[in-house]
Amino acid sequence: MEQKKMTHEANPLGYQPIGKLLMQFAMPAIIAMLVNSIYNIVDQIFIGQGVGYLGNAATTIAFPVVTIVLALSTLLGAGGSAYAAIKLGEKKEQEAEKTLGTVLVLTLVFSAVVMILSFMFMTPMLKLFGATENTMIYARQYTTVMLIGTPFNMIAVVLSNMARTDGSPALSMYAIIVGAVINTILNPIYIFVFHWGVSGSAFATITSQFISAAFLAFYFIYKGKHMRFRRSNMKVDPIILRSALSLGMSSGITQVASTILQVVLNNSLIYYGNHSEVGGDVALSAMGIVNKIGMMLVSICIGIGIGSQPIMGYNKGAGQYKRVRKTFIMAAIASTSISFMGWLACQIFPGPILSVFGSQDVEFSYFAIRCLKVYMLGIFAAGFQVIATSYFQSTGQPLKASILSMLRQLLLLIPLVLILPLHFGLNGILYAGPIADITSAIIVSQFVIYEMRKLNKICKDC
């Protein structure tokens, strides 16, 4: 009894009410994800006001670079966090601390590789991502500066994941909020006062990422509850490496799929936009804004999923399956409600939402409104899918999590973006979005139904 009491005092994930825990862990994650999305949206707003739609198109072209960095960051951060949570549930704190050291070393290695390769192949890379003669100069300026901040960006993402598992979810939120405030302050100064254009926006972003990374690094050096940086752990443990990468694979695949989708989407928008009355640059810029709006909405659902992961992972490791089931159900209801409300707002208020990104000409505004309403027609189904993937990832089922991560973007949306425009032109790209969203939701539900039946049986035997 005394041992159980001490365990509870050491980590509340195993005994506090699920609703309280989910609120405690999910709210900071939601705010952190929203603020992280605002990084790019703030760039888009100020560039739209200070440079114009060609500047916005350039950030859309550079966005695959951002998602590549995010893919590697979430691969390490989500995987390391999931593995550490299971080890903490098993009362193996030393293994959790070794995981922290392993993912930090890998973060530094991966960031160096990304920077070197990107600078070596900058021009062909940007052309592949959809740069045209009109947008290349802006895309080069923005991408060059963003690449300089790659190590800070990756460290901030990885350590924010690990801090949540360490029992400090609010810390991740504060670190990112501080960075976002600085980004918002510096953006107009660099663009409108110093006249640095798109480069100024990128400099504002990497400055804020550096501060977020430093904030989180300080915590793990001096304040960590269950995990801290120690010299002896600053090496790659092969066993932890394999386990963390397998658990983080679904998150990494999601971002890789997003990168591939962005490349296919950018080039399709340019081609079919130029063969319509809209124009390629206009179509690319409008879809870039719509995708940022969608990313902001989905980030709330991802925040709920991130917040639920330590709870489900810890209780899976502790063998408390009823708490795992309850956490999943509560998170799925919350996330689905959010995605439905976002869908409703996009359908009813498309004009006011888009007006935040600056006043554009009539042709641009007309296409952007149609793009927002049609492409986001199936976004109501996103919340449920995000939580399902989080569940399989946090409970040590990387194969299922990876399949679901690939489903919407890689297996459905990319083929639809390539096939539908052959018959319906630019409209085919717009309708590819809701078809992929709804189809993937139906398939994911079959995985979840099977899993809940299995979990219910385990709970009865507990």
Side-chain angles (χ1 to χ4, degrees):
M1 189 71 178
E2 182 66 26
Q3 180 63 36
K4 188 174 182 180
K5 183 179 178 182
M6 288 175 63
T7 299
H8 284 181
E9 289 174 353
N11 201 320
L13 290 170
Y15 71 94
Q16 281 193 358
I18 297 299
K20 179 180 178 180
L21 282 173
L22 195 57
M23 182 69 71
Q24 179 185 348
F25 278 77
M27 283 306 297
I30 290 169
I31 294 170
M33 288 299 300
L34 274 174
V35 171
N36 208 34
S37 298
I38 289 170
Y39 269 112
N40 289 314
I41 290 177
V42 164
D43 291 353
Q44 204 95 33
I45 291 171
F46 286 118
I47 289 172
Q49 301 284 352
V51 180
Y53 77 86
L54 287 177
N56 274 335
T59 64
T60 303
I61 292 161
F63 196 63
V65 180
V66 176
T67 55
I68 289 169
V69 172
L70 189 57
L72 295 172
S73 304
T74 52
L75 171 66
L76 296 172
S81 176
Y83 185 74
I86 292 172
K87 290 304 166 184
L88 289 174
E90 294 173 350
K91 309 297 179 282
K92 297 178 180 177
E93 289 197 2
Q94 189 174 0
E95 286 298 304
E97 202 167 66
K98 285 182 180 179
T99 304
L100 176 66
T102 294
V103 296
L104 179 65
V105 173
L106 288 172
T107 298
L108 296 175
V109 172
F110 284 10
S111 62
V113 171
V114 169
M115 290 174 66
I116 292 169
L117 292 177
S118 297
F119 281 124
M120 285 176 63
F121 303 104
M122 175 78 73
T123 299
M125 178 180 72
L126 293 178
K127 286 182 179 179
L128 175 66
F129 294 163
T132 64
E133 185 177 342
N134 294 329
T135 56
M136 176 60 82
I137 185 171
Y138 296 113
R140 282 187 66 89
Q141 291 171 358
Y142 188 80
T143 305
T144 297
V145 178
M146 289 296 289
L147 284 170
I148 295 171
T150 299
F152 313 131
N153 187 5
M154 290 188 66
I155 290 171
V157 173
V158 169
L159 294 188
S160 66
N161 277 276
M162 299 302 292
R164 277 187 285 270
T165 295
D166 194 52
S168 299
L171 181 76
S172 302
M173 175 185 71
Y174 294 140
I176 294 176
I177 286 177
V178 168
V181 170
I182 292 170
N183 184 41
T184 305
I185 293 170
L186 292 179
N187 245 289
I189 294 174
Y190 288 169
I191 292 176
F192 300 113
V193 178
F194 294 168
H195 303 290
W196 289 354
V198 293
S199 295
S201 182
F203 271 119
T205 299
I206 68 169
T207 302
S208 61
Q209 289 168 347
F210 169 78
I211 291 170
S212 295
F215 192 86
L216 288 159
F218 179 85
Y219 168 80
F220 280 111
I221 293 171
Y222 299 107
K223 303 289 185 179
K225 295 179 181 178
H226 305 285
M227 296 180 285
R228 290 195 183 184
F229 289 139
R230 303 187 195 279
R231 286 186 181 180
S232 58
N233 292 330
M234 292 298 140
K235 56 187 177 182
V236 176
D237 184 303
I239 296 175
I240 294 174
L241 171 63
R242 288 194 299 270
S243 301
L245 291 183
S246 66
L247 289 172
M249 191 63 67
S250 62
S251 294
I253 287 172
T254 299
Q255 297 302 328
V256 170
S258 180
T259 303
I260 298 171
L261 171 62
Q262 196 68 52
V263 174
V264 172
L265 195 57
N266 286 358
N267 284 282
S268 297
L269 287 165
I270 291 290
Y271 179 81
Y272 291 103
N274 284 334
H275 286 78
S276 72
E277 72 280 0
V278 174
D281 289 333
V282 169
L284 184 66
S285 181
M287 183 62 83
I289 292 172
V290 169
N291 273 327
K292 295 290 172 61
I293 294 168
M295 181 179 68
M296 191 169 184
L297 175 60
V298 172
S299 70
I300 301 175
C301 302
I302 294 174
I304 296 172
I306 289 172
S308 69
Q309 281 184 336
I311 308 169
M312 292 190 288
Y314 181 92
N315 285 287
K316 163 67 165 53
Q320 300 190 75
Y321 291 98
K322 289 182 180 179
R323 291 175 63 81
V324 175
R325 179 181 61 186
K326 187 173 182 179
T327 303
F328 170 77
I329 292 172
M330 292 183 70
I333 291 172
S335 187
T336 301
S337 300
I338 293 295
S339 61
F340 179 80
M341 287 188 288
W343 168 81
L344 206 59
C346 290
Q347 299 306 310
I348 298 175
F349 308 112
I353 292 172
L354 289 164
S355 67
V356 175
F357 296 89
S359 57
Q360 308 288 351
D361 56 48
V362 176
E363 290 79 10
F364 179 91
S365 298
Y366 174 77
F367 177 74
I369 288 174
R370 186 157 60 92
C371 185
L372 180 62
K373 293 184 72 173
V374 175
Y375 194 74
M376 302 281 280
L377 198 58
I379 199 70
F380 64 87
F384 170 73
Q385 298 176 69
V386 168
I387 301 303
T389 304
S390 296
Y391 168 82
F392 289 115
Q393 184 179 43
S394 62
T395 55
Q397 301 181 69
L399 180 59
K400 290 181 181 178
S402 298
I403 291 170
L404 298 189
S405 296
M406 291 188 292
L407 183 60
R408 190 257 179 188
Q409 296 185 104
L410 204 60
L411 303 181
L412 290 172
L413 188 52
I414 291 175
L416 287 168
V417 167
L418 292 172
I419 294 169
L420 291 183
L422 297 175
H423 305 284
F424 305 105
L426 194 58
N427 285 328
I429 298 176
L430 303 188
Y431 282 103
I435 293 172
D437 286 331
I438 295 170
T439 304
S440 60
I442 294 170
I443 296 171
V444 168
S445 66
Q446 302 308 304
F447 278 79
V448 172
I449 290 170
Y450 175 79
E451 186 67 21
M452 287 299 105
R453 286 174 179 168
K454 185 171 70 174
L455 197 57
N456 288 337
K457 185 177 178 180
I458 295 173
C459 291
K460 286 180 181 179
D461 296 336
C462 288

